[in-house]
Amino acid sequence: MAVLGLGRSGLSAARALREGGAEPLCWDDNAAARGRAEAEGFVLRELAREGAFEGVARLVVSPGIPHLYPAPNPVIARAWEAGVPVDNDIGLFFRSVATPDWEMFDVAPKVVAVTGSNGKSTTSALIHHLLQHAGRESQLAGNIGRGVLDIDPPGEGGVVVLELSSYQTDLARALTPDVGVFTNLTPDHLDRHGGLGGYFAAKRRLFSEGGPDRCVIGVDEDEGRYLANQMGEGPTDDRVIRVSSGRKLSGPGWMVFARKGFLTEWRKGRQVGAIDLREMRGLPGAHNHQNACAAYAAVRTLGLAPRVVEAGFRSFEGLPHRSQIVAEAGGVTYVNDSKATNVDSAVKALLAFGRIRWICGGLMKEGGLEGLAPGFGNVAKAYVIGREAAQFALGLPGVEADICTDMETAVARATAEAQPGEVVLLAPAAASFDQYDSFEARGADFTARVQAALEA
């Protein structure tokens, strides 16, 4: 078995293959990655060379490696020529997860797989949290948490919750979750998928390849409505649960929606559950209410009662760097949303809170900042960081902007000027790489600066 790419998923795949009795032949263009694999005793083989696939049964590819657009990786093209099937760790997982031991279980384990453009990390983590809160065995893996081949075999009634990116769903040769969740669709990774249609097609494979027993589908975009229609056999088919944030859904089917901060579950034409999401500190804003609806629907298919879900919502603290409350002092709340690296995610953060002291800026992406305008009404003042801080501030018409450049200055000024009831929010609307190695490092710096400012 050849393994291309020796990051987290590639190395875990190689380890699992070796544990299962296969012989992994590993390669990565990065010499340091090859060194780490070699230190673990793996055999290296340069897979792009002539004859590299002789005796190889399958090629396992890491998600970051292009296999079709914008151009196939040379190793993948070589595998095609040799007739060697190309797969990834997600495909291997679904082909191997059910073992003969499952025949001994009274309640077979389940797999919940979550995909979509926005919110899939929070939705996956929330499902995992709700299950654990209810006393159910749950493991979180895939694009979040552990590598999918690093988890333990699920036990009696256990649940595996997978966050799956389009890179992962696009290549997996087996996709057979018990519950499939589609959050939403907005343009992303278009070069990797040859356009929006290819991007949606990659997401849709989670539902079309094997057909989940239950489908939780966000229907706030045409693509979601199309997918829900494709998966259902009529308006009363409760194998499909439609989810929405911002509008009331109607009909005889199964649906979960949030309006004005209230989650409502309807089934067979009547209301069967309701939760006031406005009280949930770890789920602020309409975008998190959509995540809550999707997670609620998923765990309802697994048997959790509405009151149990509500209690689980209350104890959910959110994910690091995603609308994460890091401090409260003097009536001011400090929120780390460093993951808001683009305009779409940043405007959702702005709309989630009231009067905001907004720390923003960084390495600007293509497309400009015009999409931020709907959130400007909530901004008391912007504190702009990054090497391009002055240029970034020019893209915020009508917003009072303080050119701070660095995080320490921005946090100090925002903290000094914030009034009770306001929120100091890091939602950069830009990449971090002009000043930080990652958005995680940027968020950690914000948190540290907040603590220092409050202790001063």
Side-chain angles (χ1 to χ4, degrees):
M1 301 280 281
V3 178
L4 177 63
L6 299 173
R8 185 189 67 161
S9 66
L11 271 179
S12 69
R15 295 183 192 114
L17 289 167
R18 182 167 62 184
E19 184 70 18
E23 180 185 354
L25 303 175
C26 301
W27 188 254
D28 194 300
D29 290 340
N30 183 283
R34 294 198 302 270
R36 288 190 292 269
E38 199 167 26
E40 292 191 31
F42 290 112
V43 175
L44 299 179
R45 177 183 288 186
E46 189 174 353
L47 297 172
R49 65 173 174 81
E50 188 72 30
F53 283 95
E54 291 181 8
V56 171
R58 189 170 297 255
L59 172 63
V60 180
V61 179
S62 293
I65 299 172
H67 61 274
L68 187 56
Y69 302 112
N73 181 278
V75 172
I76 293 175
R78 181 79 68 182
W80 292 347
E81 294 170 4
V84 173
V86 180
D87 205 347
N88 61 14
D89 61 333
I90 303 301
L92 292 181
F93 167 80
F94 277 111
R95 289 170 64 89
S96 64
V97 63
T99 70
D101 293 340
W102 284 32
E103 297 178 5
M104 306 299 294
F105 292 143
D106 292 327
V107 179
K110 300 283 189 182
V111 178
V112 179
V114 181
T115 195
S117 296
N118 300 308
K120 57 184 179 294
S121 294
T122 298
T123 300
S124 301
L126 183 54
I127 293 170
H128 174 62
H129 172 80
L130 293 172
L131 290 166
Q132 288 193 317
H133 177 84
R136 296 278 294 273
E137 176 196 312
S138 177
Q139 298 181 79
L140 181 63
N143 203 44
I144 187 175
R146 302 163 69 185
V148 69
L149 296 178
D150 281 338
I151 66 172
D152 300 320
E156 175 80 29
V159 182
V160 177
V161 183
L162 301 180
E163 180 199 336
L164 299 181
S165 71
S166 59
Y167 293 0
Q168 293 169 311
T169 58
D170 200 18
L171 191 58
R173 296 174 69 91
L175 287 166
T176 54
D178 298 280
V179 182
V181 181
F182 175 84
T183 59
N184 51 56
L185 194 84
T186 57
D188 205 359
H189 309 304
L190 301 188
D191 58 336
R192 175 68 180 264
H193 297 293
L196 184 61
Y199 176 52
F200 176 54
K203 300 288 190 185
R204 184 177 177 270
R205 291 189 77 248
L206 181 63
F207 301 86
S208 61
E209 290 300 299
D213 295 335
R214 281 267 162 68
C215 302
V216 176
I217 300 175
V219 294
D220 289 334
E221 296 90 28
D222 286 340
E223 291 85 357
R225 290 188 281 273
Y226 165 83
L227 183 58
N229 181 269
Q230 286 279 300
M231 300 308 298
E233 292 295 333
T236 61
D237 187 350
D238 66 2
R239 293 174 300 176
V240 177
I241 307 175
R242 291 168 171 82
V243 167
S244 176
S245 175
R247 65 190 183 98
K248 180 179 179 179
L249 302 178
S250 61
W254 196 350
M255 54 205 68
V256 180
F257 56 89
R259 290 185 70 230
K260 299 180 179 179
F262 288 87
L263 178 152
T264 304
E265 177 188 5
W266 281 79
R267 192 171 186 184
K268 298 180 179 178
R270 65 184 184 91
Q271 181 177 318
V272 296
I275 297 175
D276 185 352
L277 297 174
R278 298 173 302 174
E279 302 176 2
M280 309 306 171
R281 289 166 45 81
L283 295 166
H287 61 302
N288 274 310
H289 293 175
Q290 183 183 56
N291 300 334
C293 288
Y296 175 99
V299 298
R300 289 287 284 137
T301 72
L302 300 174
L304 270 62
R307 66 180 183 280
V308 174
V309 179
E310 182 174 7
F313 280 167
R314 293 185 188 280
S315 60
F316 183 66
E317 296 181 354
L319 291 179
H321 317 296
R322 294 170 174 87
S323 296
Q324 177 191 18
I325 297 174
V326 297
E328 291 179 290
V332 178
T333 303
Y334 297 80
V335 178
N336 168 20
D337 202 344
S338 184
K339 182 66 167 62
T341 60
N342 58 42
V343 167
D344 183 66
S345 54
V347 73
K348 289 177 179 176
L350 293 177
L351 293 171
F353 301 99
R355 189 169 171 83
I356 297 168
R357 302 282 170 175
W358 178 30
I359 299 177
C360 56
L363 190 63
M364 289 193 291
K365 296 184 176 181
E366 295 181 4
L369 303 177
E370 291 81 2
L372 292 168
F376 287 167
N378 291 351
V379 177
K381 188 175 181 180
Y383 304 80
V384 189
I385 63 174
R387 296 177 186 172
E388 303 172 343
Q391 182 180 352
F392 192 99
L394 291 174
L396 309 176
V399 174
E400 181 183 357
D402 189 343
I403 309 301
C404 298
T405 307
D406 62 83
M407 185 70 74
E408 182 178 13
T409 303
V411 169
R413 292 180 182 175
T415 300
E417 297 175 6
Q419 302 297 313
E422 294 184 339
V423 173
V424 175
L425 170 68
L426 171 65
S432 60
F433 303 122
D434 60 333
Q435 293 181 310
Y436 300 94
D437 290 337
S438 65
F439 73 82
E440 292 96 340
R442 177 172 59 191
D445 189 30
F446 169 76
T447 302
R449 301 295 183 185
V450 167
Q451 296 299 332
L454 295 180
E455 293 171 1

